[in-house]
Amino acid sequence: MSAAPIGIFDSGVGGISVLREIHRLLPAEDAIYYADSGHCPYGGKPRQEIVARASTITEFLLARGAKLIVVACNTATIAAVEHLRATYPSPFVGMEPAVKPAAALTRSGVVGVLATGAALAGEKFHRLVAQHAGGVRVITQPCPGLVEQVEAGEIDTPRTLDLIRQYTAPLVAAGADVLVLGCTHYPFLRPQIQAVVGPQVRLLDTGEAVARQVRRLLERDALLNPQQRQGRVEWHTSGDPALFERLHRRLMP
Ligand code: DGL
């Protein structure tokens, strides 16, 4: 079983930002990546629909022998991870917006969270803020359209920069000095977001922490891959295969 791949999925290419961190930390691990681009974005969908997609993809990954599954999507984690854990006999690692480290880091006492509307509306997110924000003010900002820009490969276009300006301006105006990238697509826009908000604002995402959690679980279950060669990725998508291939080659060369 230790030679089996890690299964990882997202509504699209966003989870590749998490896969990059897993590969950095665990270079020998093979992975099967599933981009649900045919159903992207999840952000505006009802919870039950996201649970159904997450279950279908989990079954696909388990049928291909995945030893652990990473739900590399904040929206799918908030909507579905509890259901997945209760239903399938696999270890799961989910995403959690970096509210806790952001609350520890802020000096102004104001933290902004950029995420999808569905992620911000989830009860799991409200619990996270209630438990970990302490006395810090947490301002949330849904970002419709941003995931679609990344899915289209429009990382550095005027329209993307306009959206970034529109979504970050109220947070910066309210005094936020830390912004949480609460969607796995956003780390691909990190240089653009940083350029818009300026160097005094810190940006936090959770990819590296998730990679460490994957390592902890694989160590605990004696499932680390002992092979010497570099891990390989098997790519799957429910969307346009040619577009997906161009994108994953660009995002994870
Ligand atoms: N990458 C997903 C997330 O982390 C994007 C959600 C969407 O498809 O709207 O939330």
Side-chain angles (χ1 to χ4, degrees), residues 9-15 33-43 57 72-73 75-76 147 151 184-185 238:
F9 74 93
D10 175 50
S11 63
V13 296
Y33 186 92
Y34 191 98
D36 200 12
S37 313
H39 301 89
C40 188
Y42 284 176
I57 297 166
C73 174
T75 312
V147 164
E151 286 295 311
T184 54
H185 283 73
S238 57

Side-chain angles (χ1 to χ4, degrees), residues 13 16 235 242-253:
V13 296
I16 297 173
W235 301 99
L243 173 63
F244 179 57
E245 185 168 345
R246 269 204 309 280
L247 271 177
H248 75 67
R249 284 183 190 282
R250 177 170 165 198
L251 300 175
M252 192 164 162

